[in-house]
Amino acid sequence: MNEPSAALPIRITPEALLREMQQVSEKLTRGSQRLSAYTEEQLAIATTPKDEVWRQDMVRLYRYRPTVEKPARVPVLLAYALVGRYQMIDLEPDRSFVRKLLAEGLDVFVVDWGLPTRAQRWLTIDDYVSGYLDDCVDLIRERHGVDKINLLGVCQGGVFATCYAALFPQKIRNLVLTVTPLDFHGDLDHPEAGAGYMNLWARSMTPEDIDMMVDTMGTAPGAMVGFSFLMMNPVGNVTKYTTELVDMLDDESKMLGFLRMERWIADRPGHPGEVMRQWFKDLYQANKLVKSELMLGNRRVDLDQIRMPVLNVYATGDVIIPVSCSQGMEDRFGTDDYSELSVPGGHIGTFVGGKAQKVLAPSIAKWLRERN
């Protein structure tokens, strides 16, 4: 049997190397000229028209202007996570989850949690759920003359929505959860390569470590929160500013998409310390939500009280919230109308990815119409 031949060495002549360097230099020159010429209007994110209808402290409630003559009578309230700004669901006109929901005829509201400072360090999960979120729900119910509304939660906002539906089931008609961690220990029995690093990191901390972190900082700075996400893929988050960026310099559509995404990433809000303390101890470590043991104030979040229809959406390539932490929850809720929807892509790609965009909003709208 012949031995496999050794790979031939790659020979690069000085002339070829010089040509390559010249091409990269020319591309960088063109790219820098294009970057300097972009206007604020071109780089703007979250441009779907909306109106502020309520505010309290740093929190705002917006209603997006309907794009159909007669939107659905039962409105939808979107609750995003605290660890990122809600603009992700409306990143670009052609990559906007919100615009697609509006096009489907839904009446859409969104709660903007704002930018917490040290003044909000003592806020708890209960303050957000039974305070701000409940006020938003009541205002929408009164404004539209309905007893119940639809609630849609995203990631951490999905946890808030789950808690709210369990504590105030009489106010929610349908519950939609997207890329939401429900079983924070699901990855223990079903580990996924390259996913769940935040779970591992949070569970490795001692209660004393968590207390020291919260007591020292009060509010976790947005830069620190963002850094923890960047460290899930440090190599990828370096190369996107080098080789990947050079490759897209001549593609204006990709370049604008990249810059808008970076703008959203850079606007990372701080995180109230007491929310973080409970998030790490009660959820990441003790997994109390899925066990119906989570206490908000003096009330227990009993998932059996969630008897309205539930749609649970998870992303097949999500490395932040492993699939095992989201799917298979039909026996956890009290409802007999539980549905799951898998979408292609990752945690953020669920809302901005081309494939997921074609599936997510139309499927949610269809599911809601069938139940409204």
Side-chain angles (χ1 to χ4, degrees), residues 82-83 120-125 128 156 160 198 201-202 205 207 209-222 224-225 228 269-285:
L82 297 184
V83 295
Q120 283 80 42
R121 65 176 296 178
W122 305 113
L123 290 177
T124 64
I125 295 177
Y128 279 93
Q156 187 181 32
F160 288 2
M198 193 70 74
W201 173 55
M205 299 177 69
D209 290 335
I210 297 170
D211 289 336
M212 179 178 294
M213 179 174 63
V214 173
D215 294 341
T216 300
M217 294 187 300
T219 298
M224 188 195 84
V225 176
S228 65
H271 201 280
E274 292 306 315
V275 173
M276 184 167 62
R277 192 195 308 268
Q278 190 170 19
W279 192 264
F280 276 59
K281 286 187 173 183
D282 288 352
L283 298 178
Y284 271 127
Q285 296 192 341

Side-chain angles (χ1 to χ4, degrees), residues 163-197:
C163 294
Y164 187 88
L167 296 176
F168 302 94
Q170 73 279 10
K171 299 181 183 182
I172 302 302
R173 180 178 294 275
N174 298 293
L175 176 64
V176 180
L177 306 174
T178 59
V179 292
T180 296
L182 296 167
D183 182 356
F184 283 74
H185 289 179
D187 58 312
L188 291 176
D189 294 329
H190 304 282
E192 301 171 33
Y197 291 134

Side-chain angles (χ1 to χ4, degrees), residues 281-283 286-295 301:
K281 286 187 173 183
D282 288 352
L283 298 178
N287 200 25
K288 291 183 178 181
L289 177 64
V290 78
K291 298 176 182 178
S292 291
E293 297 174 356
L294 180 66
M295 297 297 296
V301 178

Side-chain angles (χ1 to χ4, degrees), residues 28-173:
L28 290 173
T29 300
R30 293 193 302 271
S32 63
Q33 292 172 346
R34 179 179 289 117
L35 288 173
S36 63
Y38 284 138
T39 65
E40 175 64 25
E41 183 177 359
Q42 288 177 291
L43 298 176
I45 61 175
T47 58
T48 302
K50 60 184 182 294
D51 300 294
E52 181 183 311
V53 295
W54 176 88
R55 68 165 58 191
Q56 183 178 340
D57 302 329
M58 71 289 177
V59 181
R60 305 288 184 267
L61 177 65
Y62 296 102
R63 184 199 184 199
Y64 289 99
R65 297 174 189 172
T67 58
V68 299
E69 184 176 351
K70 292 184 178 181
R73 184 169 181 269
V74 181
V76 180
L77 173 59
L78 274 63
Y80 199 76
L82 297 184
V83 295
R85 301 302 307 280
Y86 75 96
Q87 287 91 338
M88 171 49 63
I89 59 176
D90 184 30
L91 192 66
E92 300 180 279
D94 59 347
R95 291 197 297 168
S96 172
F97 175 56
V98 167
R99 288 180 187 261
K100 287 180 170 57
L101 290 178
L102 293 172
E104 292 286 340
L106 299 183
D107 197 342
V108 183
F109 290 75
V110 65
V111 56
D112 174 9
W113 301 120
L115 299 172
T117 66
R118 284 182 64 84
Q120 283 80 42
R121 65 176 296 178
W122 305 113
L123 290 177
T124 64
I125 295 177
D126 190 42
D127 290 320
Y128 279 93
V129 172
S130 304
Y132 298 126
L133 191 55
D134 189 42
D135 288 345
C136 291
V137 170
D138 283 346
L139 183 139
I140 298 171
R141 290 168 63 229
E142 180 180 358
R143 179 188 178 107
H144 284 259
V146 295
D147 293 330
K148 300 180 179 181
I149 71 167
N150 298 315
L151 185 58
L152 192 159
V154 179
C155 186
Q156 187 181 32
V159 173
F160 288 2
T162 300
C163 294
Y164 187 88
L167 296 176
F168 302 94
Q170 73 279 10
K171 299 181 183 182
I172 302 302
R173 180 178 294 275

